[in-house]
Amino acid sequence: MQLATQDNSGSYLIAPMPARAGLTRSVTGRDHTGAQVDLSVVEERPLTIYLNAQEIVTAMTIGDYPEYLALGFLRNQRMLGDDDVVTGVDYDEELQVVVVRTARQTNHEDKLKKKTRTSGCAVGTVFGDMMEGLDGVVLPATPVRTSWLYALSAAINRTPSLYLEAGAIHGTVLCHQDRPLVYMEDVGRHNAVDKIAGWMLDEGVSADDKILYTTGRLTSEMVIKTAMMGIPVLASRSGFTAWGVEIAQQVGLTLIGRMRGQRFVCLAGEDRLIRDADPAAVQDEPRKSGRKGSGE
């Protein structure tokens, strides 16, 4: 398992590493005037995930934290249960394959027959019934201070990242109160969330007091994954889908979007917001900000 790295700011347990070798490539092109331009573009490569002897999926990813991605994907697809004991996670860099091994035998042939293409980029796929497993899910009514939201937004937007370096990527951040803890990026927001889920599973981190921040849209897939992870708050710079809002209301997820500068919109869980910060005291963000919500 790759070790978590400490950001220089001392704030993050895992932070983006935009200068890490292999995540971007320099390419040369011409702009609208015909002048030469040199750009840093994000790499993407296939990663095949196995659960024991069964091939589950091939995902397009930037290639960092493959073990966390595999664990989180299998957990969020409910192919790894709460009672499963993971005996090994083996990554072959040359073959671009991760094998997750469990103490019990597994067979998900029936589940794999039913696939749902999600609205996520990088060809997100959900296996089985998307709503299966949400019955009975009721998230803890964790209070959320608006001062935390403003502090998180300011800190995350100032963090050096692949998005700021090269664009064409999504970011997802696991937070506790006003502190960002783990910041994952990938070409698909579903991959970034799965990496966080894998890290939480590997580290045994509880979810009931956490906030998940994403740069992408608040779609049904994002809401379902967050709810299945047990995280009670989901926030984004971007907007909502109607089904995402409906599911959030159903499971008791606090859903906050269009969070930029002084402004945000809460479409589920308003009763759990503690408005302890004066928006007028928060530095606003121009309507046409240089850092837009990814996927808008």
Side-chain angles (χ1 to χ4, degrees):
M1 182 68 65
Q2 290 179 323
L3 297 176
T5 56
Q6 185 78 23
D7 182 67
N8 291 334
S9 68
S11 168
Y12 289 93
L13 300 176
I14 298 180
M17 294 181 289
R20 177 175 171 174
L23 297 184
T24 61
R25 180 195 309 175
S26 180
V27 298
T28 300
R30 299 281 175 179
D31 68 11
H32 58 288
T33 68
Q36 179 175 310
V37 291
D38 297 317
L39 291 179
S40 182
V41 298
V42 172
E43 291 275 15
E44 58 177 330
R45 51 181 59 87
L47 178 71
T48 301
I49 298 172
Y50 281 79
L51 179 56
N52 296 310
Q54 186 174 30
E55 181 178 339
I56 302 299
V57 72
T58 296
M60 297 306 297
T61 176
I62 61 175
D64 66 342
Y65 304 107
E67 299 96 339
Y68 289 153
L69 175 56
L71 279 174
F73 178 86
L74 294 172
R75 184 60 176 268
N76 282 338
Q77 297 293 329
R78 298 177 297 282
M79 294 181 183
L80 282 179
D82 293 337
D83 57 346
D84 273 316
V85 176
V86 176
T87 58
V89 183
D90 302 315
Y91 172 55
D92 188 308
E93 184 174 5
E94 183 177 353
L95 297 177
Q96 293 293 299
V97 168
V98 177
V99 181
V100 176
R101 306 183 191 280
T102 60
R104 71 177 179 96
Q105 292 185 345
T106 55
N107 188 332
H108 295 286
E109 195 64 38
D110 290 340
K111 193 179 186 73
L112 295 176
K113 290 177 181 177
K114 185 173 182 180
K115 299 181 181 181
T116 302
R117 286 287 176 87
T118 73
S119 56
C121 54
V123 193
T125 301
V126 173
F127 295 106
D129 186 347
M130 288 182 67
M131 299 298 291
E132 181 185 347
L134 280 184
D135 291 340
V137 171
V138 179
L139 296 171
T142 303
V144 183
R145 295 183 177 272
T146 57
S147 60
W148 299 346
L149 297 176
Y150 288 133
L152 289 172
S153 180
I156 292 168
N157 290 335
R158 289 197 303 263
T159 300
S161 64
L162 276 174
Y163 175 80
L164 294 177
E165 172 75 16
I169 202 163
H170 289 277
T172 302
V173 189
L174 182 70
C175 311
H176 178 246
Q177 297 183 357
D178 61 352
R179 181 190 174 192
L181 301 174
V182 174
Y183 189 154
M184 294 292 192
E185 294 184 285
D186 214 301
V187 288
R189 58 182 175 270
H190 45 86
N191 287 347
V193 176
D194 287 342
K195 288 177 187 176
I196 286 179
W199 178 84
M200 293 177 69
L201 177 61
D202 188 62
E203 296 291 328
V205 173
S206 63
D208 56 3
D209 60 348
K210 300 301 189 295
I211 298 170
L212 196 65
Y213 176 100
T214 178
T215 58
R217 299 180 300 274
L218 298 173
T219 63
S220 58
E221 178 200 16
M222 288 295 295
V223 171
I224 289 171
K225 284 194 179 227
T226 304
M228 295 302 296
M229 290 163 67
I231 297 175
V233 185
L234 176 60
S236 175
R237 292 176 57 82
S238 294
F240 313 82
T241 67
W243 196 20
V245 173
E246 181 180 331
I247 296 170
Q249 293 171 342
Q250 172 187 326
V251 300
L253 176 74
T254 301
L255 191 66
I256 299 162
R258 300 181 181 177
M259 193 169 72
R260 304 184 185 186
Q262 301 170 344
R263 294 163 280 125
F264 65 81
V265 177
C266 181
L267 292 187
E270 160 67 26
D271 58 313
R272 294 183 284 278
L273 283 185
I274 300 174
R275 298 181 180 273
D276 65 333
D278 179 5
V282 178
Q283 183 176 357
D284 204 6
E285 195 173 301
R287 292 280 178 175
K288 294 184 178 180
S289 170
R291 184 184 180 111
K292 298 180 180 179
S294 300
E296 284 198 320

